Amino acid sequence: MLLIILNSIFCVSFLAFAWVNLNDSDSWLWVPIYMAASILCGFAGFGLYYPLVYLFFIAFYLIYALVLFFGKDGVRDWITKYHTPSITESMKATKPYIEKTREFFGLLIISAALALNYFVSGGI
């Protein structure tokens, strides 16, 4: 029952995240990222698990998270160069590191949700 509730929350949340990304310049990337996670969590809420698909998307999301971490004005720069100022002051990304850092943590959240479903499904 807990997994049904958790997957329902993930499904709706990721759907909402996809919705708010529709007006971004990089919506072509982020809407499918969030929609794939939303759909997979929705299926898991109904007891339909796809371990190989989870592994594929987790790998893609974590590789992209590494790109955002080490890229110019990425998470590493946010930590070392900018000394971790708040990334939640406003919804508008006024500094170059804000959007990349937020996207990085979003990818980690998605990966964690899919990893949870992967392990619940019994893996491969």
Side-chain angles (χ1 to χ4, degrees):
M1 182 64 161
L2 176 63
L3 283 174
I4 293 172
I5 294 169
L6 202 55
N7 275 301
S8 298
I9 291 170
F10 284 142
C11 178
V12 171
S13 296
F14 296 149
L15 186 62
F17 297 159
W19 175 261
V20 298
N21 273 280
L22 283 173
N23 65 348
D24 277 2
S25 60
D26 57 354
S27 63
W28 60 270
L29 174 65
W30 286 96
V31 170
I33 284 175
Y34 283 120
M35 285 303 296
S38 176
I39 290 166
L40 288 170
C41 289
F43 283 158
F46 287 102
L48 302 171
Y49 296 98
Y50 301 96
L52 289 176
V53 178
Y54 298 146
L55 288 179
F56 171 79
F57 280 105
I58 290 168
F60 172 77
Y61 295 151
L62 292 180
I63 290 168
Y64 189 44
L66 283 174
V67 169
L68 292 174
F69 187 88
F70 290 108
K72 181 182 181 326
D73 289 325
V75 179
R76 184 183 59 173
D77 286 345
W78 172 66
I79 294 168
T80 59
K81 184 176 172 183
Y82 300 108
H83 307 293
T84 62
S86 175
I87 58 171
T88 61
E89 291 174 356
S90 72
M91 285 310 294
K92 186 168 174 67
T94 56
K95 305 281 192 277
Y97 56 84
I98 292 176
E99 185 168 359
K100 289 182 181 178
T101 303
R102 289 177 180 171
E103 290 171 348
F104 170 81
F105 286 113
L107 289 169
L108 292 185
I109 292 168
I110 292 170
S111 297
L114 295 182
L116 174 71
N117 288 328
Y118 174 77
F119 290 116
V120 166
S121 71
I124 296 176

